[in-house]
Amino acid sequence: MLRLSGGDPLPDPHPQYGAYPQPPLGAGHSSIEYEPRPAAVREARAQVRGQLERWGLGERDDLVDTAELLVSELATNAVLHSASRFRLTLFAAHGTLRCEVADTGRHPPELREAGDAESGRGMFLVDALARGWGCHRDGPGKTVWFELGTCGGDGCGRRQPSQ
């Protein structure tokens, strides 16, 4: 059971949604849409840095740098593979930063080994650096997301086992 502080327990989420955990209630939220052009990747990185600074997370250089890098990978995939507008959405609460990139592409990203190829390693980086990531269908397209912890303490932002 999911228990919100001070509230009654809620039923566990349906198993089909288990791979797509919802952002925490009361999250800081930011969302912006970009045109499918190479400069949009740079703009998305700048949006991540600026928003994290506004939320008071800018002092965590490792968090900001990692979030920028991983958003850059997801935005690049959206520009290259869907050639459509894409939406970057950020949520921050309870020790977790969640970044989502939604586009009209139908094909989920592929996790490839980090070999000698010049491309195809973006999701390898996401998998290696994010606490968790996933992809789900969203209407005619998809949303790819990842999560990072926002504080340095052990257990901060980690999902606690149900009691």
Side-chain angles (χ1 to χ4, degrees), residues 33-37 40 75 77-87 102-105 141-142:
E33 194 166 274
Y34 297 92
E35 294 293 329
R37 53 192 176 79
N77 284 350
V79 169
L80 291 178
H81 300 297
S82 76
S84 69
R85 294 175 66 94
F86 67 92
R87 177 168 294 281
D103 61 44
T104 60
K142 68 179 177 310

Side-chain angles (χ1 to χ4, degrees), residues 34 47 80 90 117 123:
Y34 297 92
Q47 173 66 20
L80 291 178
L90 307 172
M123 294 313 296

Side-chain angles (χ1 to χ4, degrees), residues 42-101:
R42 177 179 33 83
E43 294 165 6
R45 282 194 312 264
Q47 173 66 20
V48 168
R49 179 169 292 277
Q51 187 61 61
L52 293 181
E53 288 173 356
R54 286 187 290 281
W55 284 337
L57 298 170
E59 294 178 9
R60 289 272 323 276
D61 287 334
D62 59 329
L63 171 68
V64 175
D65 292 345
T66 301
E68 277 186 312
L69 172 64
L70 300 186
V71 162
S72 178
E73 295 298 336
L74 298 187
T76 298
N77 284 350
V79 169
L80 291 178
H81 300 297
S82 76
S84 69
R85 294 175 66 94
F86 67 92
R87 177 168 294 281
L88 168 64
T89 304
L90 307 172
F91 301 94
H94 310 294
T96 299
L97 171 67
R98 181 186 182 104
C99 303
E100 300 179 346
V101 173

Side-chain angles (χ1 to χ4, degrees), residues 115-129:
D116 293 335
E118 291 185 22
S119 66
R121 291 181 294 233
M123 294 313 296
F124 179 83
L125 289 173
V126 173
D127 188 61
L129 299 175

Side-chain angles (χ1 to χ4, degrees), residues 139-161:
K142 68 179 177 310
T143 298
V144 183
W145 59 269
F146 67 84
E147 291 182 346
L148 300 170
T150 62
C151 53
D154 287 338
C156 177
R158 293 195 178 131
R159 298 187 195 290
Q160 300 299 318

